[in-house]
Amino acid sequence: MNPKISVIMPVYNSAKYLSDSIQSVLEQTFYELELIIVDDGSNDESLDIARKFEKKDERIQVFSQQNMGPSVARNKGVRVASSDLIFFIDSDDLLYIDILKCLYNYYCDHEAEIILCETKIFSKRKDLPEKIDEGNIKVLDGKNALVVALESPKLEVSVCGNLYGRSLLEKNPFKENVLFEDLAATVCLLKQVNTVL
């Protein structure tokens, strides 16, 4: 199978949440994906949990490295990804069941270089609404999208939950050993693109 979306998940000591997070990727209505899990030197059961899932589903690849931070883990995921589209998820995140299908369809319709999504904060899985609120879809250039993202209480300046063209990430790897690397990456990426959804 040639995956159409590579989902990259850096993991560090996430045993409490990891099974639910992985399951939310595997349950997607969009099947043509690969899940790349990069364990960043966890000292809990995270790596064992990830390996168990890897044995059950051929779409999963698990890598392990010394603790070097999420930027290094994400860069590793981008390097080994098979797809031209990259989606990032943290190991305590959950996905709506059809989010990847929606994002892929949006990408095909608009050929956006980045698709930014709203996120919701929740405490338990049952607190998630049953369906995606697609809201208002806007097509902007990168600089205007950056302004909207920074001013919106709902849009996340994290890279998680967003869809990216792989070539953009290859040209702009995550900066390592910096604080708030997600914000730095988002600002850098948005400043370079013409079409953001």
Side-chain angles (χ1 to χ4, degrees), residues 167-186:
S167 61
L168 178 66
L169 296 167
E170 288 175 330
K171 292 175 195 167
N172 301 279
F174 290 93
K175 295 202 173 7
E176 300 173 6
N177 302 314
V178 296
L179 294 173
F180 307 111
E181 80 286 342
D182 273 14
L183 176 58
T186 301

Side-chain angles (χ1 to χ4, degrees), residues 7-8 11 15 18-19 21 40 43 55 65 73 80 92 100-101 104 108 124 126 129 145 160 170 173 181 186:
V7 179
I8 297 173
V11 173
L18 187 56
S19 292
S21 189
D40 188 37
N43 51 31
K55 288 177 184 173
Q65 64 184 30
V80 301
D92 59 351
L100 294 182
K101 182 178 181 180
Y104 186 76
C108 291
K124 295 179 183 170
K126 66 180 182 61
C160 293
E170 288 175 330
E181 80 286 342
T186 301

